[in-house]
Amino acid sequence: LAKTTQPISMDSYEGQEVNITCSHNNIATNDYITWYQQFPSQGPRFIIQGYKTKVTNEVASLFIPADRKSSTLSLPRVSLSDTAVYYCLVGARYSSASKIIFGSGTRLSIRP
Amino acid sequence: DTGVSQDPRHKITKRGQNVTFRCDPISEHNRLYWYRQTLGQGPEFLTYFQNEAQLEKSRLLSDRFSAERPKGSFSTLEIQRTEQGDSAMYLCASSLDGVVDRPPEAFFGQGTRLTVV
Protein backbone atom coordinates (compact mmCIF):
# COMPACT_ATOMS: atom_id res chain seq x y z
CA LEU A 1 0.00 0.00 0.00
CA ALA A 2 1.67 3.22 -1.16
CA LYS A 3 2.08 5.66 1.71
CA THR A 4 1.48 9.34 1.11
CA THR A 5 3.02 12.35 2.79
CA GLN A 6 1.51 15.80 2.58
CA PRO A 7 1.85 19.01 4.61
CA ILE A 8 -0.25 19.14 7.76
CA SER A 9 -1.48 22.65 7.07
CA MET A 10 -1.27 25.55 4.61
CA ASP A 11 -2.48 29.13 4.64
CA SER A 12 -3.27 31.36 1.70
CA TYR A 13 -5.36 34.37 0.71
CA GLU A 14 -8.39 34.81 -1.45
CA GLY A 15 -7.61 35.07 -5.13
CA GLN A 16 -4.29 33.23 -4.88
CA GLU A 17 -3.37 29.95 -6.53
CA VAL A 18 -2.73 27.20 -4.00
CA ASN A 19 -0.57 24.18 -4.69
CA ILE A 20 -0.60 21.20 -2.33
CA THR A 21 2.08 18.60 -2.94
CA CYS A 22 1.80 14.96 -1.99
CA SER A 23 4.75 12.54 -1.90
CA HIS A 24 4.19 8.88 -2.76
CA ASN A 25 7.62 7.36 -3.33
CA ASN A 26 6.40 3.77 -3.37
CA ILE A 27 3.60 4.23 -5.89
CA ALA A 28 2.91 1.07 -7.88
CA THR A 29 2.55 0.82 -11.64
CA ASN A 30 -1.22 0.37 -11.49
CA ASP A 31 -1.84 3.03 -8.85
CA TYR A 32 -3.84 6.16 -9.52
CA ILE A 33 -3.66 9.37 -7.49
CA THR A 34 -6.93 10.69 -6.10
CA TRP A 35 -7.70 13.82 -4.11
CA TYR A 36 -10.67 14.36 -1.82
CA GLN A 37 -11.85 17.54 -0.07
CA GLN A 38 -13.60 17.60 3.28
CA PHE A 39 -15.46 20.51 4.86
CA PRO A 40 -16.19 20.54 8.60
CA SER A 41 -19.04 18.25 9.63
CA GLN A 42 -19.33 16.76 6.15
CA GLY A 43 -18.06 13.63 4.46
CA PRO A 44 -15.14 13.85 2.02
CA ARG A 45 -15.87 14.79 -1.58
CA PHE A 46 -13.98 13.51 -4.64
CA ILE A 47 -12.11 16.32 -6.42
CA ILE A 48 -9.85 14.86 -9.05
CA GLN A 49 -8.02 11.72 -10.09
CA GLY A 50 -5.08 11.10 -12.40
CA TYR A 51 -2.43 8.64 -13.50
CA LYS A 52 0.23 10.76 -15.20
CA THR A 53 0.98 14.22 -16.61
CA LYS A 54 -1.85 16.68 -16.05
CA VAL A 55 -5.56 16.41 -15.38
CA THR A 56 -7.86 19.41 -15.15
CA ASN A 57 -11.52 19.74 -14.26
CA GLU A 58 -13.79 22.57 -13.23
CA VAL A 59 -12.49 22.50 -9.67
CA ALA A 60 -8.75 21.84 -9.79
CA SER A 61 -5.72 20.65 -11.72
CA LEU A 62 -3.54 17.69 -10.85
CA PHE A 63 0.09 17.66 -11.95
CA ILE A 64 1.97 14.36 -11.93
CA PRO A 65 5.65 14.25 -12.97
CA ALA A 66 7.06 11.47 -15.09
CA ASP A 67 8.42 9.49 -12.13
CA ARG A 68 5.00 9.70 -10.40
CA LYS A 69 6.65 9.85 -6.97
CA SER A 70 4.77 13.00 -6.15
CA SER A 71 1.74 14.94 -7.31
CA THR A 72 0.48 18.50 -6.90
CA LEU A 73 -3.10 19.57 -6.50
CA SER A 74 -3.55 23.09 -7.81
CA LEU A 75 -6.53 25.24 -6.82
CA PRO A 76 -6.80 28.38 -8.96
CA ARG A 77 -7.95 31.66 -7.42
CA VAL A 78 -9.08 30.25 -4.08
CA SER A 79 -11.94 31.72 -2.10
CA LEU A 80 -12.90 31.48 1.57
CA SER A 81 -15.10 28.50 0.70
CA ASP A 82 -12.02 26.48 -0.28
CA THR A 83 -11.06 26.28 3.40
CA ALA A 84 -11.11 22.54 3.99
CA VAL A 85 -8.97 19.46 4.53
CA TYR A 86 -7.50 17.95 1.36
CA TYR A 87 -6.57 14.27 1.22
CA CYS A 88 -4.20 12.63 -1.25
CA LEU A 89 -4.82 8.91 -1.85
CA VAL A 90 -2.90 6.41 -3.94
CA GLY A 91 -4.28 3.08 -5.10
CA ALA A 92 -5.75 0.96 -7.86
CA ARG A 93 -9.12 -0.57 -8.49
CA TYR A 94 -8.27 -4.09 -7.35
CA SER A 95 -5.54 -3.38 -4.84
CA SER A 96 -6.13 -3.35 -1.13
CA ALA A 97 -6.33 0.41 -1.48
CA SER A 98 -9.59 -0.01 -3.37
CA LYS A 99 -11.11 0.22 0.08
CA ILE A 100 -10.02 3.87 -0.07
CA ILE A 101 -7.58 4.66 2.72
CA PHE A 102 -7.18 8.21 3.99
CA GLY A 103 -4.16 9.81 5.65
CA SER A 104 -4.26 12.89 7.86
CA GLY A 105 -4.67 15.34 5.00
CA THR A 106 -3.67 18.99 4.55
CA ARG A 107 -5.71 21.57 6.39
CA LEU A 108 -6.00 24.57 4.05
CA SER A 109 -7.03 27.90 5.53
CA ILE A 110 -7.95 30.76 3.23
CA ARG A 111 -7.91 34.30 4.60
CA PRO A 112 -9.66 37.40 3.23
CA ASP B 1 -26.46 16.25 -1.31
CA THR B 2 -24.38 13.33 -2.56
CA GLY B 3 -27.25 10.87 -2.63
CA VAL B 4 -25.90 8.86 0.30
CA SER B 5 -28.03 9.31 3.39
CA GLN B 6 -27.22 8.38 6.95
CA ASP B 7 -29.53 8.17 9.92
CA PRO B 8 -29.46 9.48 12.55
CA ARG B 9 -27.27 12.53 12.08
CA HIS B 10 -26.55 12.74 15.80
CA LYS B 11 -26.75 10.19 18.57
CA ILE B 12 -26.05 10.62 22.27
CA THR B 13 -25.96 7.43 24.28
CA LYS B 14 -24.89 6.26 27.68
CA ARG B 15 -21.87 4.06 28.07
CA GLY B 16 -22.82 0.42 27.83
CA GLN B 17 -25.82 0.94 25.56
CA ASN B 18 -26.10 -0.46 22.05
CA VAL B 19 -26.51 1.82 19.05
CA THR B 20 -27.33 1.17 15.41
CA PHE B 21 -26.72 3.45 12.45
CA ARG B 22 -28.21 3.17 8.99
CA CYS B 23 -26.76 4.07 5.61
CA ASP B 24 -28.68 4.24 2.36
CA PRO B 25 -26.24 4.30 -0.55
CA ILE B 26 -26.82 5.53 -4.08
CA SER B 27 -29.10 2.87 -5.47
CA GLU B 28 -26.95 1.55 -8.32
CA HIS B 29 -23.74 1.47 -6.25
CA ASN B 30 -22.55 -2.03 -5.42
CA ARG B 31 -19.77 -0.99 -3.04
CA LEU B 32 -20.42 0.36 0.44
CA TYR B 33 -17.85 1.51 2.98
CA TRP B 34 -17.92 2.48 6.65
CA TYR B 35 -15.39 4.82 8.22
CA ARG B 36 -14.85 6.37 11.63
CA GLN B 37 -13.43 9.85 12.04
CA THR B 38 -12.28 11.60 15.19
CA LEU B 39 -11.46 15.27 15.52
CA GLY B 40 -8.42 16.34 13.53
CA GLN B 41 -7.89 12.93 11.96
CA GLY B 42 -8.64 11.53 8.52
CA PRO B 43 -11.41 8.96 8.11
CA GLU B 44 -10.33 5.51 9.32
CA PHE B 45 -11.49 2.56 7.27
CA LEU B 46 -13.75 0.15 9.17
CA THR B 47 -15.31 -2.22 6.66
CA TYR B 48 -16.31 -2.64 3.03
CA PHE B 49 -19.11 -4.47 1.22
CA GLN B 50 -19.34 -5.62 -2.37
CA ASN B 51 -23.09 -6.04 -2.80
CA GLU B 52 -24.16 -8.03 0.29
CA ALA B 53 -20.74 -9.59 0.93
CA GLN B 54 -18.56 -8.05 3.61
CA LEU B 55 -15.15 -8.33 1.96
CA GLU B 56 -12.88 -6.70 4.45
CA LYS B 57 -12.87 -5.58 8.07
CA SER B 58 -10.32 -3.39 9.76
CA ARG B 59 -8.71 -4.46 12.98
CA LEU B 60 -10.36 -1.33 14.37
CA LEU B 61 -13.65 -3.20 14.10
CA SER B 62 -13.66 -4.99 17.43
CA ASP B 63 -16.09 -7.72 18.42
CA ARG B 64 -18.47 -5.04 19.64
CA PHE B 65 -18.91 -3.73 16.10
CA SER B 66 -20.96 -5.46 13.45
CA ALA B 67 -22.06 -4.35 10.02
CA GLU B 68 -24.59 -5.82 7.65
CA ARG B 69 -25.82 -5.11 4.18
CA PRO B 70 -28.80 -7.38 3.58
CA LYS B 71 -29.75 -7.77 -0.07
CA GLY B 72 -26.94 -5.46 -1.08
CA SER B 73 -28.95 -2.32 -0.47
CA PHE B 74 -28.88 -0.31 2.77
CA SER B 75 -26.37 -1.10 5.50
CA THR B 76 -26.40 -0.96 9.27
CA LEU B 77 -23.52 -0.54 11.68
CA GLU B 78 -24.15 -1.66 15.24
CA ILE B 79 -21.97 -0.93 18.24
CA GLN B 80 -22.66 -3.00 21.32
CA ARG B 81 -21.76 -1.98 24.85
CA THR B 82 -20.58 1.45 23.75
CA GLU B 83 -17.51 2.99 25.35
CA GLN B 84 -16.47 6.63 25.54
CA GLY B 85 -13.72 5.89 23.02
CA ASP B 86 -16.39 5.09 20.45
CA SER B 87 -17.36 8.76 20.30
CA ALA B 88 -16.67 9.83 16.73
CA MET B 89 -18.24 10.64 13.40
CA TYR B 90 -19.26 7.49 11.53
CA LEU B 91 -19.20 7.96 7.78
CA CYS B 92 -20.72 5.80 5.10
CA ALA B 93 -19.74 5.93 1.44
CA SER B 94 -20.81 4.11 -1.69
CA SER B 95 -19.33 3.65 -5.13
CA LEU B 96 -19.44 1.68 -8.32
CA ASP B 97 -16.65 -0.79 -9.03
CA GLY B 98 -14.35 1.56 -10.90
CA VAL B 99 -13.17 1.30 -14.48
CA VAL B 100 -10.14 -0.71 -15.65
CA ASP B 101 -7.52 0.03 -12.97
CA ARG B 102 -9.10 3.26 -11.73
CA PRO B 103 -10.17 3.29 -8.09
CA PRO B 104 -13.82 4.16 -7.83
CA GLU B 105 -15.08 7.59 -6.92
CA ALA B 106 -16.66 7.31 -3.50
CA PHE B 107 -19.69 9.36 -2.49
CA PHE B 108 -19.94 10.04 1.22
CA GLY B 109 -22.91 10.70 3.43
CA GLN B 110 -22.87 13.47 6.00
CA GLY B 111 -22.15 11.04 8.78
CA THR B 112 -23.59 10.14 12.16
CA ARG B 113 -21.99 11.88 15.09
CA LEU B 114 -21.93 9.59 18.10
CA THR B 115 -21.36 10.89 21.60
CA VAL B 116 -21.00 8.36 24.40
CA VAL B 117 -21.49 9.86 27.86
Side-chain angles (χ1 to χ4, degrees):
Chain A
L1 193 64
K3 179 179 168 58
T4 61
T5 302
Q6 50 184 129
I8 294 173
S9 63
M10 294 181 66
D11 295 325
S12 189
Y13 293 91
E14 280 191 296
Q16 299 295 303
E17 178 184 78
V18 171
N19 296 310
I20 306 174
T21 297
C22 179
S23 296
H24 27 80
N25 291 318
N26 297 323
I27 190 168
T29 304
N30 293 339
D31 284 344
Y32 280 72
I33 299 144
T34 310
W35 286 79
Y36 282 79
Q37 173 192 57
Q38 185 177 25
F39 298 115
S41 299
Q42 293 189 25
R45 180 177 77 111
F46 175 95
I47 302 177
I48 198 166
Q49 184 180 81
Y51 183 81
K52 61 180 179 181
T53 62
K54 178 182 173 183
V55 179
T56 296
N57 61 22
E58 65 278 6
V59 176
S61 294
L62 178 60
F63 298 92
I64 305 167
D67 66 6
R68 304 198 329 119
K69 292 183 183 300
S70 67
S71 58
T72 299
L73 176 73
S74 181
L75 305 172
R77 297 181 299 281
V78 294
S79 64
L80 295 176
S81 63
D82 291 314
T83 294
V85 180
Y86 293 82
Y87 297 97
C88 167
L89 287 68
V90 172
R93 180 182 175 197
Y94 290 118
S95 73
S96 58
S98 67
K99 59 194 175 189
I100 307 176
I101 300 297
F102 290 82
S104 299
T106 297
R107 189 171 300 274
L108 177 65
S109 297
I110 305 300
R111 302 178 182 180
Chain B
D1 182 6
T2 63
V4 177
S5 60
Q6 293 188 243
D7 183 68
R9 293 289 310 279
H10 303 273
K11 178 72 177 178
I12 300 174
T13 191
K14 291 184 178 179
R15 188 174 53 185
Q17 297 294 303
N18 299 343
V19 294
T20 300
F21 310 141
R22 178 181 169 118
C23 172
D24 286 276
I26 295 173
S27 59
E28 62 267 28
H29 285 183
N30 57 341
R31 293 190 179 191
L32 187 146
Y33 316 78
W34 283 99
Y35 294 84
R36 181 175 68 187
Q37 187 172 29
T38 54
L39 200 61
Q41 302 298 313
E44 296 173 294
F45 171 80
L46 291 179
T47 190
Y48 150 56
F49 290 84
Q50 180 96 10
N51 299 309
E52 65 275 12
Q54 188 173 18
L55 294 189
E56 195 158 349
K57 292 196 297 184
S58 163
R59 282 170 287 181
L60 291 173
L61 217 64
S62 73
D63 292 345
R64 296 185 298 107
F65 288 71
S66 63
E68 294 182 345
R69 193 183 182 197
K71 303 178 184 177
S73 55
F74 71 93
S75 177
T76 58
L77 178 69
E78 181 184 15
I79 309 175
Q80 295 182 329
R81 303 182 303 282
T82 52
E83 302 172 355
Q84 287 188 318
D86 297 330
S87 295
M89 174 77 85
Y90 290 83
L91 292 162
C92 173
S94 70
S95 76
L96 294 170
D97 260 341
V99 178
V100 190
D101 279 333
R102 284 184 176 274
E105 175 183 345
F107 293 79
F108 282 79
Q110 292 195 297
T112 295
R113 183 167 297 283
L114 173 66
T115 303
V116 182
V117 297

PDB file of all heavy atoms in Angstrom, chain A residues 41, chain B residues 8-12 21 37 39 88-90 110-115:
ATOM      1  N   SER A  41     -17.749  18.910   9.399  1.00  0.00           N
ATOM      2  CA  SER A  41     -19.044  18.247   9.627  1.00  0.00           C
ATOM      3  C   SER A  41     -19.664  17.680   8.357  1.00  0.00           C
ATOM      4  O   SER A  41     -20.889  17.515   8.281  1.00  0.00           O
ATOM      5  CB  SER A  41     -20.038  19.223  10.289  1.00  0.00           C
ATOM      6  OG  SER A  41     -19.533  19.640  11.533  1.00  0.00           O
TER       7      SER A  41
ATOM      8  N   PRO B   8     -29.185   8.061  12.360  1.00  0.00           N
ATOM      9  CA  PRO B   8     -29.465   9.481  12.553  1.00  0.00           C
ATOM     10  C   PRO B   8     -28.249  10.345  12.239  1.00  0.00           C
ATOM     11  O   PRO B   8     -27.171   9.819  11.983  1.00  0.00           O
ATOM     12  CB  PRO B   8     -29.793   9.542  14.050  1.00  0.00           C
ATOM     13  CG  PRO B   8     -28.934   8.464  14.646  1.00  0.00           C
ATOM     14  CD  PRO B   8     -28.895   7.356  13.634  1.00  0.00           C
ATOM     15  N   ARG B   9     -28.405  11.626  12.269  1.00  0.00           N
ATOM     16  CA  ARG B   9     -27.267  12.532  12.083  1.00  0.00           C
ATOM     17  C   ARG B   9     -26.479  12.691  13.380  1.00  0.00           C
ATOM     18  O   ARG B   9     -25.267  12.878  13.360  1.00  0.00           O
ATOM     19  CB  ARG B   9     -27.740  13.908  11.606  1.00  0.00           C
ATOM     20  CG  ARG B   9     -28.333  13.902  10.214  1.00  0.00           C
ATOM     21  CD  ARG B   9     -27.246  13.686   9.150  1.00  0.00           C
ATOM     22  NE  ARG B   9     -26.110  14.586   9.315  1.00  0.00           N
ATOM     23  CZ  ARG B   9     -26.079  15.840   8.907  1.00  0.00           C
ATOM     24  NH1 ARG B   9     -27.123  16.371   8.301  1.00  0.00           N
ATOM     25  NH2 ARG B   9     -24.997  16.583   9.090  1.00  0.00           N
ATOM     26  N   HIS B  10     -27.182  12.618  14.485  1.00  0.00           N
ATOM     27  CA  HIS B  10     -26.546  12.744  15.797  1.00  0.00           C
ATOM     28  C   HIS B  10     -27.137  11.698  16.722  1.00  0.00           C
ATOM     29  O   HIS B  10     -28.333  11.394  16.643  1.00  0.00           O
ATOM     30  CB  HIS B  10     -26.781  14.135  16.407  1.00  0.00           C
ATOM     31  CG  HIS B  10     -26.315  15.250  15.550  1.00  0.00           C
ATOM     32  ND1 HIS B  10     -25.024  15.723  15.580  1.00  0.00           N
ATOM     33  CD2 HIS B  10     -26.959  15.982  14.612  1.00  0.00           C
ATOM     34  CE1 HIS B  10     -24.903  16.707  14.701  1.00  0.00           C
ATOM     35  NE2 HIS B  10     -26.047  16.886  14.105  1.00  0.00           N
ATOM     36  N   LYS B  11     -26.282  11.163  17.587  1.00  0.00           N
ATOM     37  CA  LYS B  11     -26.746  10.192  18.567  1.00  0.00           C
ATOM     38  C   LYS B  11     -25.948  10.377  19.840  1.00  0.00           C
ATOM     39  O   LYS B  11     -24.715  10.366  19.822  1.00  0.00           O
ATOM     40  CB  LYS B  11     -26.557   8.771  18.032  1.00  0.00           C
ATOM     41  CG  LYS B  11     -26.964   7.664  18.990  1.00  0.00           C
ATOM     42  CD  LYS B  11     -28.452   7.584  19.145  1.00  0.00           C
ATOM     43  CE  LYS B  11     -28.853   6.415  20.047  1.00  0.00           C
ATOM     44  NZ  LYS B  11     -30.327   6.370  20.242  1.00  0.00           N
ATOM     45  N   ILE B  12     -26.674  10.564  20.954  1.00  0.00           N
ATOM     46  CA  ILE B  12     -26.047  10.617  22.268  1.00  0.00           C
ATOM     47  C   ILE B  12     -26.525   9.390  23.009  1.00  0.00           C
ATOM     48  O   ILE B  12     -27.722   9.124  23.078  1.00  0.00           O
ATOM     49  CB  ILE B  12     -26.419  11.900  23.022  1.00  0.00           C
ATOM     50  CG1 ILE B  12     -25.955  13.132  22.229  1.00  0.00           C
ATOM     51  CG2 ILE B  12     -25.791  11.896  24.409  1.00  0.00           C
ATOM     52  CD1 ILE B  12     -26.404  14.447  22.838  1.00  0.00           C
ATOM     53  N   PHE B  21     -26.655   2.397  13.453  1.00  0.00           N
ATOM     54  CA  PHE B  21     -26.716   3.454  12.453  1.00  0.00           C
ATOM     55  C   PHE B  21     -27.119   2.837  11.113  1.00  0.00           C
ATOM     56  O   PHE B  21     -26.760   1.701  10.823  1.00  0.00           O
ATOM     57  CB  PHE B  21     -25.359   4.147  12.286  1.00  0.00           C
ATOM     58  CG  PHE B  21     -24.723   4.584  13.569  1.00  0.00           C
ATOM     59  CD1 PHE B  21     -23.355   4.459  13.758  1.00  0.00           C
ATOM     60  CD2 PHE B  21     -25.478   5.143  14.592  1.00  0.00           C
ATOM     61  CE1 PHE B  21     -22.760   4.873  14.927  1.00  0.00           C
ATOM     62  CE2 PHE B  21     -24.888   5.556  15.768  1.00  0.00           C
ATOM     63  CZ  PHE B  21     -23.523   5.413  15.944  1.00  0.00           C
ATOM     64  N   GLN B  37     -14.312   8.678  12.040  1.00  0.00           N
ATOM     65  CA  GLN B  37     -13.432   9.854  12.042  1.00  0.00           C
ATOM     66  C   GLN B  37     -13.512  10.581  13.366  1.00  0.00           C
ATOM     67  O   GLN B  37     -14.596  10.944  13.820  1.00  0.00           O
ATOM     68  CB  GLN B  37     -13.799  10.795  10.892  1.00  0.00           C
ATOM     69  CG  GLN B  37     -12.831  11.952  10.720  1.00  0.00           C
ATOM     70  CD  GLN B  37     -13.095  12.761   9.469  1.00  0.00           C
ATOM     71  OE1 GLN B  37     -14.230  12.844   9.004  1.00  0.00           O
ATOM     72  NE2 GLN B  37     -12.049  13.370   8.918  1.00  0.00           N
ATOM     73  N   LEU B  39     -11.825  13.880  15.766  1.00  0.00           N
ATOM     74  CA  LEU B  39     -11.461  15.268  15.516  1.00  0.00           C
ATOM     75  C   LEU B  39      -9.997  15.409  15.108  1.00  0.00           C
ATOM     76  O   LEU B  39      -9.107  14.893  15.780  1.00  0.00           O
ATOM     77  CB  LEU B  39     -11.732  16.083  16.786  1.00  0.00           C
ATOM     78  CG  LEU B  39     -11.862  17.592  16.598  1.00  0.00           C
ATOM     79  CD1 LEU B  39     -13.024  17.923  15.679  1.00  0.00           C
ATOM     80  CD2 LEU B  39     -12.026  18.274  17.957  1.00  0.00           C
ATOM     81  N   ALA B  88     -17.296   9.477  18.006  1.00  0.00           N
ATOM     82  CA  ALA B  88     -16.670   9.828  16.732  1.00  0.00           C
ATOM     83  C   ALA B  88     -17.764  10.121  15.720  1.00  0.00           C
ATOM     84  O   ALA B  88     -18.953   9.952  16.003  1.00  0.00           O
ATOM     85  CB  ALA B  88     -15.801   8.673  16.212  1.00  0.00           C
ATOM     86  N   MET B  89     -17.322  10.541  14.538  1.00  0.00           N
ATOM     87  CA  MET B  89     -18.237  10.644  13.399  1.00  0.00           C
ATOM     88  C   MET B  89     -18.122   9.330  12.618  1.00  0.00           C
ATOM     89  O   MET B  89     -17.017   8.893  12.308  1.00  0.00           O
ATOM     90  CB  MET B  89     -17.827  11.811  12.500  1.00  0.00           C
ATOM     91  CG  MET B  89     -18.628  11.906  11.214  1.00  0.00           C
ATOM     92  SD  MET B  89     -20.251  12.586  11.496  1.00  0.00           S
ATOM     93  CE  MET B  89     -19.879  14.334  11.409  1.00  0.00           C
ATOM     94  N   TYR B  90     -19.249   8.716  12.316  1.00  0.00           N
ATOM     95  CA  TYR B  90     -19.260   7.486  11.531  1.00  0.00           C
ATOM     96  C   TYR B  90     -19.768   7.827  10.131  1.00  0.00           C
ATOM     97  O   TYR B  90     -20.894   8.286   9.952  1.00  0.00           O
ATOM     98  CB  TYR B  90     -20.102   6.416  12.216  1.00  0.00           C
ATOM     99  CG  TYR B  90     -19.420   5.916  13.467  1.00  0.00           C
ATOM    100  CD1 TYR B  90     -19.545   6.607  14.676  1.00  0.00           C
ATOM    101  CD2 TYR B  90     -18.592   4.801  13.432  1.00  0.00           C
ATOM    102  CE1 TYR B  90     -18.871   6.189  15.810  1.00  0.00           C
ATOM    103  CE2 TYR B  90     -17.919   4.370  14.571  1.00  0.00           C
ATOM    104  CZ  TYR B  90     -18.064   5.074  15.747  1.00  0.00           C
ATOM    105  OH  TYR B  90     -17.382   4.660  16.866  1.00  0.00           O
ATOM    106  N   GLN B 110     -23.274  12.403   5.082  1.00  0.00           N
ATOM    107  CA  GLN B 110     -22.872  13.472   6.000  1.00  0.00           C
ATOM    108  C   GLN B 110     -22.472  12.938   7.368  1.00  0.00           C
ATOM    109  O   GLN B 110     -21.995  13.698   8.204  1.00  0.00           O
ATOM    110  CB  GLN B 110     -23.984  14.503   6.123  1.00  0.00           C
ATOM    111  CG  GLN B 110     -24.179  15.275   4.814  1.00  0.00           C
ATOM    112  CD  GLN B 110     -25.003  16.529   5.008  1.00  0.00           C
ATOM    113  OE1 GLN B 110     -26.169  16.447   5.391  1.00  0.00           O
ATOM    114  NE2 GLN B 110     -24.410  17.668   4.746  1.00  0.00           N
ATOM    115  N   GLY B 111     -22.644  11.646   7.568  1.00  0.00           N
ATOM    116  CA  GLY B 111     -22.146  11.045   8.785  1.00  0.00           C
ATOM    117  C   GLY B 111     -23.140  11.036   9.933  1.00  0.00           C
ATOM    118  O   GLY B 111     -24.126  11.774   9.940  1.00  0.00           O
ATOM    119  N   THR B 112     -22.863  10.176  10.893  1.00  0.00           N
ATOM    120  CA  THR B 112     -23.590  10.135  12.158  1.00  0.00           C
ATOM    121  C   THR B 112     -22.591  10.461  13.251  1.00  0.00           C
ATOM    122  O   THR B 112     -21.588   9.751  13.394  1.00  0.00           O
ATOM    123  CB  THR B 112     -24.194   8.745  12.417  1.00  0.00           C
ATOM    124  OG1 THR B 112     -25.183   8.463  11.438  1.00  0.00           O
ATOM    125  CG2 THR B 112     -24.820   8.692  13.811  1.00  0.00           C
ATOM    126  N   ARG B 113     -22.879  11.517  13.984  1.00  0.00           N
ATOM    127  CA  ARG B 113     -21.987  11.875  15.086  1.00  0.00           C
ATOM    128  C   ARG B 113     -22.456  11.193  16.360  1.00  0.00           C
ATOM    129  O   ARG B 113     -23.552  11.441  16.827  1.00  0.00           O
ATOM    130  CB  ARG B 113     -21.925  13.387  15.285  1.00  0.00           C
ATOM    131  CG  ARG B 113     -20.941  13.786  16.389  1.00  0.00           C
ATOM    132  CD  ARG B 113     -20.639  15.264  16.398  1.00  0.00           C
ATOM    133  NE  ARG B 113     -19.978  15.728  15.192  1.00  0.00           N
ATOM    134  CZ  ARG B 113     -18.694  15.544  14.916  1.00  0.00           C
ATOM    135  NH1 ARG B 113     -17.925  14.882  15.755  1.00  0.00           N
ATOM    136  NH2 ARG B 113     -18.179  16.011  13.797  1.00  0.00           N
ATOM    137  N   LEU B 114     -21.610  10.327  16.881  1.00  0.00           N
ATOM    138  CA  LEU B 114     -21.931   9.591  18.101  1.00  0.00           C
ATOM    139  C   LEU B 114     -21.199  10.196  19.278  1.00  0.00           C
ATOM    140  O   LEU B 114     -19.979  10.396  19.214  1.00  0.00           O
ATOM    141  CB  LEU B 114     -21.535   8.114  17.956  1.00  0.00           C
ATOM    142  CG  LEU B 114     -21.675   7.264  19.223  1.00  0.00           C
ATOM    143  CD1 LEU B 114     -23.136   7.121  19.624  1.00  0.00           C
ATOM    144  CD2 LEU B 114     -21.019   5.901  19.042  1.00  0.00           C
ATOM    145  N   THR B 115     -21.939  10.451  20.343  1.00  0.00           N
ATOM    146  CA  THR B 115     -21.356  10.889  21.603  1.00  0.00           C
ATOM    147  C   THR B 115     -21.746   9.890  22.680  1.00  0.00           C
ATOM    148  O   THR B 115     -22.944   9.659  22.907  1.00  0.00           O
ATOM    149  CB  THR B 115     -21.834  12.294  21.996  1.00  0.00           C
ATOM    150  OG1 THR B 115     -21.517  13.211  20.943  1.00  0.00           O
ATOM    151  CG2 THR B 115     -21.171  12.749  23.283  1.00  0.00           C
TER     152      THR B 115
END
